[in-house]
Amino acid sequence: MSYRRGWIAVFLFSLSMINYMDRIALSIAAKPIAGEFKLGAVGMGYLFSSFIWSYALFLIPMGVLIDRFGTKRMAGVGIFVWSAATALTAAVGSFGSLMLARLVMGAGESASNPIGAKVIRQWIPANERGVVTSIFNSGSYAGPAICSVILGALIALWGWRVSFVIAGGIG
């Protein structure tokens, strides 16, 4: 693998890792959030699933935007949107604003997989796509593994809001 393709693989790994770190931040902070907003299982279920509603809704439009504006530009937009939504989760004051932050995050994160697929198809030779695809996909497992330790510690030390600011800031 060339130096350039190695950096592409590192970018794709990071894209996926950060995406999944932000995605599971709510799961790690579920108990203090449920306590603060007095949410039961149904309310938390809505929060957990709301991300996927907008993610699924925006996948196809995001694919169109990626084809029209390019992978680099849309990767930047996607990372900015989902990271800002994650960080701004720390400022929510109600269930509705928490739900809105999750919906915006899902919309932003819908860029990640189409970008990864297009970058691999266009920039990686056919005989190296398996390795780069594996590196890209491994970020989706590394992100939650790393995030659970880091955000768990942050929540224990400074509360759930700080954990969302830091998780969003990483993006």
Side-chain angles (χ1 to χ4, degrees):
M1 183 179 308
S2 75
Y3 179 78
R4 180 172 182 252
R5 289 191 290 273
W7 277 108
I8 291 169
V10 168
F11 166 76
L12 292 174
F13 174 84
S14 300
L15 177 73
S16 181
M17 183 181 77
I18 294 166
N19 180 301
Y20 278 81
M21 285 176 67
D22 289 354
R23 191 178 293 196
I24 71 151
L26 180 67
S27 299
I28 297 166
K31 187 174 180 178
I33 288 173
E36 182 173 328
F37 292 105
K38 298 180 183 18
L39 299 173
V42 173
M44 290 306 294
Y46 285 137
L47 284 177
F48 289 135
S49 63
S50 62
F51 153 83
I52 207 71
W53 303 339
S54 57
Y55 185 90
L57 182 67
F58 279 85
L59 270 172
I60 293 173
M62 191 59 74
V64 171
L65 292 171
I66 291 165
D67 287 342
R68 181 166 182 188
F69 297 109
T71 54
K72 289 180 186 177
R73 181 177 296 160
M74 292 311 298
V77 169
I79 292 168
F80 175 79
V81 168
W82 94 57
S83 296
T86 299
L88 289 173
T89 300
V92 301
S94 68
F95 175 78
S97 58
L98 187 53
M99 179 76 83
L100 180 62
R102 292 296 291 178
L103 291 167
V104 172
M105 190 190 81
E109 285 196 3
S110 69
S112 185
N113 283 322
I115 286 167
K118 187 164 185 166
V119 165
I120 290 167
R121 170 66 178 90
Q122 288 185 330
W123 298 354
I124 305 298
N127 64 336
E128 295 177 15
R129 288 183 192 148
V131 171
V132 176
T133 299
S134 296
I135 293 168
F136 173 54
N137 287 337
S138 67
S140 67
Y141 298 100
I146 294 166
C147 180
S148 61
V149 174
I150 294 170
L151 293 187
L154 290 172
I155 291 167
L157 291 171
W158 295 300
W160 71 269
R161 292 181 188 273
V162 170
S163 72
F164 278 86
V165 170
I166 292 173
I170 291 170

